[in-house]
Amino acid sequence: LNMKIYTKPAGPMGANTYLLTEDDKTAVAIDCGGEEVWDYALSKGLKIEYVLLTHGHFDHIAGCPALAAKGVKIGAAKSELPLLQSKANLAFEFGAASPEFPVSFTFEDGDALSLCGMEISVIATPGHTAGGVCFLSGENLFTGDTLFFESVGRTDFPTGNAAQLVRSIKEKLFTLSGDRRVFPGHEEETTLAHEKQYNPFIR
């Protein structure tokens, strides 16, 4: 298996959008911070077919209406839909209109998705938001705003819960076997081994 991962910070907060491809033709995007992700994918010879959302905050979904208009199917956690489609998505705080787009499919904890020839597992990690998830594909873990390089996601937004976030990281992510590359929703990548040892928020 030869998955390639492209990283494109996009949108108002430079949220990382990740493009996953195995055939160098079709791609799955993890989050979609801005519509510029579409042209970025084309520049790599890729057509985005799916977007998987780690959570419903504005800075991770701002590009979804533009991609949905191009026929991209967007998937979100069933438990995150209430936040995704409400003021709690923080668009108002950014002084923006709430992104309107259809969610084509939903998923839940433990689901295994088969998209563009790749297997992607869903891990529910509530804490940053109630319906937040991480995605695991091979040794690659996409953590959205749950886990960052030596940091964790904020929990002072609607549906956030600090104790729950720590529990999600300790019980769901740190228990994964082997080392994994961690691709967070903002800033640089890290590894699970590094975070287990050095993350000051998880002790």
Side-chain angles (χ1 to χ4, degrees), residues 10-202:
M13 300 287 289
N16 288 331
T17 295
Y18 296 104
L19 300 180
L20 284 51
T21 183
E22 206 156 83
D23 61 10
D24 288 323
K25 295 188 192 81
T26 59
V28 174
I30 300 207
D31 290 334
C32 188
E35 57 186 88
E36 64 267 32
V37 169
W38 179 261
D39 286 337
Y40 174 78
L42 291 181
S43 77
K44 303 288 179 194
L46 300 173
K47 179 173 185 284
I48 300 170
E49 298 207 335
Y50 301 93
V51 174
L52 300 178
L53 298 177
T54 59
H55 64 295
H57 282 157
F58 173 75
D59 56 322
H60 292 258
I61 65 175
C64 287
L67 269 66
K70 295 181 187 296
V72 178
K73 293 183 171 61
I74 296 167
K78 192 180 281 183
S79 52
E80 190 74 341
L81 290 180
L83 183 145
L84 190 67
Q85 295 159 343
S86 77
K87 280 203 169 69
N89 70 22
L90 306 183
F92 180 74
E93 279 76 355
F94 287 103
S98 187
E100 297 287 324
F101 58 91
V103 173
S104 310
F105 60 102
T106 59
F107 39 74
E108 296 178 83
D109 187 35
D111 283 358
L113 310 172
S114 188
L115 305 171
C116 299
M118 296 173 284
E119 298 293 320
I120 302 169
S121 315
V122 179
I123 304 170
T125 51
H128 179 64
T129 62
V133 300
C134 296
F135 299 107
L136 181 65
S137 189
E139 62 177 36
N140 308 301
L141 180 65
F142 301 88
T143 55
D145 287 359
T146 295
L147 179 66
F148 299 117
F149 172 72
E150 295 183 7
S151 187
V152 297
R154 289 174 60 167
T155 54
D156 56 338
F157 293 129
T159 80
N161 181 311
Q164 202 176 36
L165 181 78
V166 169
R167 207 159 51 238
S168 288
I169 294 170
K170 275 186 166 165
E171 297 173 9
K172 301 294 270 299
L173 302 184
F174 283 1
T175 55
L176 292 169
S177 59
D179 196 12
R180 313 275 176 162
R181 289 173 74 187
V182 173
F183 296 88
H186 298 271
E187 299 180 1
E188 71 265 46
E189 68 172 273
T190 180
T191 66
L192 268 189
H194 182 91
E195 296 313 310
K196 281 181 195 174
Q197 193 169 350
Y198 296 109
N199 194 308
F201 295 90
I202 312 295

